[in-house]
Amino acid sequence: KSNQNEWVLIDSAGTDSKSTREALLRSDLVLTAAAPSPVELWQVETLLRLIIQLSEVQRRRVPVALVFNRAPTHPLAKSIEEAKSFLLDAPIQPNHVCAAVIKDRVVFQHSFREGKGVHEYLPADANARLEIEALADELIALIQA
């Protein structure tokens, strides 16, 4: 047996399916992403309700972290603040809302199309790279806490 920690990331469809429930039941932390819009935040609420049900069945708490993605790049956009306010009024909230935000950048579409991360894709986009690094750093700190 290894003394090293092991992290397994499972990218699951955002639907209530057998495979999604199996992944959630085995999770120590669920990271979900949503654009800062009421429609997507209602979907997050549906996921939170499902996780609460599964947590009660297995008598184990599964924390949920939310990262905002596809956020506007315009510096005056207030969508993140509005989404956080929307969350405060919701009947249930994620355990953690990430400070890191992934903006709606074309480089994410291009790198995905080529099967690459933004750190591999050229031409480089420094802002996209910094956003991913900030999210990774935040998740590592959250896991190690």
Side-chain angles (χ1 to χ4, degrees):
K1 180 171 172 149
S2 171
N3 289 334
Q4 295 180 345
N5 291 326
E6 188 173 289
W7 295 358
V8 177
L9 301 175
I10 301 171
D11 185 2
S12 177
T15 58
D16 186 0
S17 66
K18 182 180 179 193
S19 62
T20 298
R21 284 178 179 249
E22 288 174 0
L24 293 172
L25 282 168
R26 289 167 175 77
S27 298
D28 293 317
L29 171 70
V30 172
L31 173 65
T32 189
S37 76
V39 171
E40 293 219 7
L41 293 175
W42 286 325
Q43 291 174 336
V44 169
E45 185 178 330
T46 300
L47 173 67
L48 291 171
R49 290 186 192 287
L50 174 60
I51 292 171
I52 288 169
Q53 289 174 353
L54 294 174
S55 294
E56 289 171 356
V57 167
Q58 61 183 1
R59 295 189 178 100
R60 161 177 100 81
R61 182 179 155 270
V62 178
V64 178
L66 169 66
V67 61
F68 288 112
N69 70 346
R70 296 187 320 268
T73 56
H74 193 282
L76 297 179
K78 302 280 187 213
S79 58
I80 297 299
E81 292 82 4
E82 291 169 358
K84 287 180 179 179
S85 178
F86 182 90
L87 278 175
L88 289 175
D89 293 334
I92 53 177
Q93 291 90 21
N95 303 90
H96 179 80
V97 176
C98 295
V101 173
I102 307 301
K103 303 275 179 87
D104 190 10
R105 300 184 188 281
V106 174
V107 68
F108 290 117
Q109 297 168 28
H110 292 300
S111 63
F112 182 80
R113 181 185 65 228
E114 291 188 17
K116 297 179 178 179
V118 294
H119 284 74
E120 303 165 297
Y121 183 80
L122 295 174
D125 183 317
N127 290 324
R129 289 178 176 191
L130 289 172
E131 290 167 7
I132 295 299
E133 289 169 10
L135 178 60
D137 290 343
E138 187 171 356
L139 291 175
I140 290 168
L142 187 62
I143 290 167
Q144 293 177 339

